Amino acid sequence: MNDLLQTIEPVTLMGPGPSCVDASVLAALSKPTLGHLDPYFIKIMDTIKQQLKTVLHTRNELTLPISGTGSAGMECCFVNLIEKNDPVLILINGVFGRRMQDVATRLGAKVDTLEFDWGTPVIVDVVQKELSKKSYKLVAVVHAETSTGVLNPVPGIGALLKDKDTLFLVDAVTSLGGMEILMDDWGIDVFYSGTQKCLSCPPGLSPVSFSPAAVAALQARKTKVPNWYLDLSLIMNYWEGATRAYHHTAPVNMLYGLYQALCLILDEGESHVFERHMAAHLQLVRELDLLGLRMQVDASCRLPMLNAVCIPEGVDDAEIRTRLLSEYKIEIGGGLGPLAGKIWRIGLMGHTARPENVDKLIQALAAVLPDRTGN
């Protein structure tokens, strides 16, 4: 039988995820598999918990990686906290805010939304006005909206909820590992992310963290968590204590990869990691400008790790992306929803955020873009 794995060609991953993976993380994935209750593996699990608490700047004991991608983390947070008729406010300015709305609605919550133009951030004053009208069990927002490249004002929203009996849920799938997150200081109660973006680990795990208030809300539920696989009241017994209770078979080698990816970030130093992402972003913006390409999002709220670039009039979105992949082995992403065909999404996430990758992309774009000078 033809072994398809032997003919995989390396691709420079510069889309909205996954990102390029460091060789040491790939090597970690190939280490000998241990049993999911092996004492040495439990030692690795405990270290991963501490690593996550460090990069999240939190003291939350319930901090662990869910077995599944970022979407599993999203569903985990909602199914553990939402019961039928719970009042929930979702702040939406892109695809992933809408996904949260969908999940909360499926759980029977009474969902209100505040919607903002795609490509612009959530406006704190508008949120404050809404909160003055009604009390909510939970308010949710996407920190780094992957569909548009917009950074939302999470610290400002958290400040609005400081003295309220409301849980604050934040999607940080794209931001974790690429920019500062101060979970406790920002008043975030519920958090989820993914490994395949700025953590530069293959997709398959979703770090989550619950504050003491969120844990109390979980424990005070009137009904069982509707999703057994994602029930944190059961999962935490596998991730805590001297005696571990079997829940499901953990993806052992994926956790090796996450351990190594977090080691890389902590060894490099968070501040240096964030500076590297910003430097790559600024280099990209400068070079795109020289090609006559402009950014979709205002500089005041751009993400360094996810860059939305306007597609020039008359340029075929799919053709350019196809040529970049087939001729130069570079992957970039297209737009979603109302931005489909209007923007390219260029990722500078984790291990990808390096000057040589920006240079490679710019040279390739210069070659595949049609000459618009008339020469």
Side-chain angles (χ1 to χ4, degrees):
M1 184 180 73
N2 182 33
D3 186 352
L4 297 177
L5 299 181
Q6 297 303 316
T7 54
I8 294 176
E9 296 185 66
V11 174
T12 304
L13 297 170
M14 303 188 74
S19 61
C20 297
V21 178
D22 187 84
S24 66
V25 175
L26 294 175
L29 296 171
S30 68
K31 295 294 184 182
T33 302
L34 296 173
H36 57 280
L37 291 172
D38 185 290
Y40 195 83
F41 179 61
I42 289 172
K43 184 177 180 180
I44 295 172
M45 292 168 62
D46 288 343
T47 303
I48 291 171
K49 284 183 62 176
Q50 291 305 314
Q51 289 174 318
L52 288 173
K53 289 168 72 173
T54 298
V55 296
L56 290 175
H57 297 271
T58 185
R59 296 180 295 277
N60 295 341
E61 285 305 311
L62 182 47
T63 301
L64 52 86
I66 290 293
S67 302
T69 60
S71 295
M74 172 183 63
E75 189 142 2
C76 173
C77 292
F78 279 97
V79 300
N80 278 276
L81 294 172
I82 297 303
E83 296 184 83
K84 189 174 181 180
N85 295 324
D86 281 344
V88 172
L89 177 64
I90 311 288
L91 311 177
I92 300 174
N93 60 343
V95 165
F96 295 96
R98 285 188 177 171
R99 285 194 183 179
M100 292 196 290
Q101 177 191 12
D102 186 13
V103 172
T105 301
R106 288 169 185 246
L107 292 169
K110 292 184 176 179
V111 180
D112 292 337
T113 62
L114 287 176
E115 301 216 18
F116 303 85
D117 290 340
W118 287 38
T120 69
V122 169
I123 300 170
V124 173
D125 288 347
V126 174
V127 180
Q128 183 176 32
K129 185 177 179 180
E130 178 66 21
L131 293 174
S132 69
K133 301 175 186 175
K134 183 175 177 179
S135 296
Y136 292 96
K137 179 177 182 179
L138 183 144
V139 172
V141 71
V142 177
H143 185 208
E145 181 49 79
T146 319
S147 62
T148 63
V150 169
L151 173 65
N152 279 320
V154 166
I157 299 165
L160 297 179
L161 300 171
K162 184 177 180 181
D163 298 318
K164 295 183 182 293
D165 188 21
T166 300
L167 297 174
F168 185 28
L169 185 156
V170 173
D171 169 327
V173 169
T174 293
S175 53
L176 179 61
M179 64 196 319
E180 184 176 60
I181 295 176
L182 304 176
M183 185 167 180
D184 291 355
D185 288 353
W186 293 353
I188 301 171
D189 292 294
V190 193
F191 170 98
Y192 65 89
S193 186
T195 51
Q196 75 275 19
K197 309 263 185 173
C198 292
L199 296 182
S200 278
C201 184
L205 292 170
S206 176
V208 302
S209 185
F210 276 41
S211 72
V215 173
L218 168 59
Q219 294 172 337
R221 289 181 63 97
K222 300 180 180 66
T223 59
K224 276 188 175 182
V225 174
N227 185 314
W228 181 89
Y229 186 71
L230 299 175
D231 185 346
L232 285 174
S233 65
L234 302 175
I235 294 172
M236 69 174 70
N237 295 324
Y238 173 56
W239 278 87
E240 292 180 357
T243 303
R244 304 299 171 98
Y246 164 71
H247 179 256
H248 67 272
T249 302
V252 172
N253 290 63
M254 272 302 306
L255 288 162
Y256 296 167
L258 176 57
Y259 166 83
Q260 180 60 31
L262 290 168
C263 283
L264 291 178
I265 289 173
L266 295 172
D267 288 347
E268 183 178 352
E270 286 184 89
S271 62
H272 289 105
V273 171
F274 304 154
E275 288 167 6
R276 175 165 54 78
H277 279 81
M278 183 57 70
H281 162 72
L282 294 175
Q283 177 189 356
L284 177 68
V285 173
R286 288 194 304 268
E287 296 296 332
L288 289 174
D289 184 63
L290 294 176
L291 290 179
L293 298 174
R294 65 181 184 87
M295 306 298 288
Q296 169 75 17
V297 178
D298 186 79
S300 63
C301 56
R302 285 178 195 157
L303 295 172
M305 71 286 294
L306 195 287
N307 299 268
V309 180
C310 296
I311 299 173
E313 187 175 351
V315 172
D316 188 301
D317 166 29
E319 178 187 353
I320 297 300
R321 288 189 288 114
T322 298
R323 289 191 62 190
L324 287 174
L325 184 58
S326 62
E327 298 175 26
Y328 297 91
K329 300 303 174 190
I330 299 172
E331 178 183 277
I332 65 171
L336 299 175
L339 294 177
K342 298 180 180 179
I343 64 168
W344 290 311
R345 292 183 297 152
I346 298 176
L348 295 171
M349 301 178 183
H351 191 57
T352 303
R354 300 183 185 280
E356 59 268 27
N357 290 328
V358 177
D359 288 340
K360 180 179 179 181
L361 174 63
I362 293 299
Q363 290 169 16
L365 280 172
V368 300
L369 284 171
D371 185 351
R372 292 177 288 125
T373 64
N375 297 327

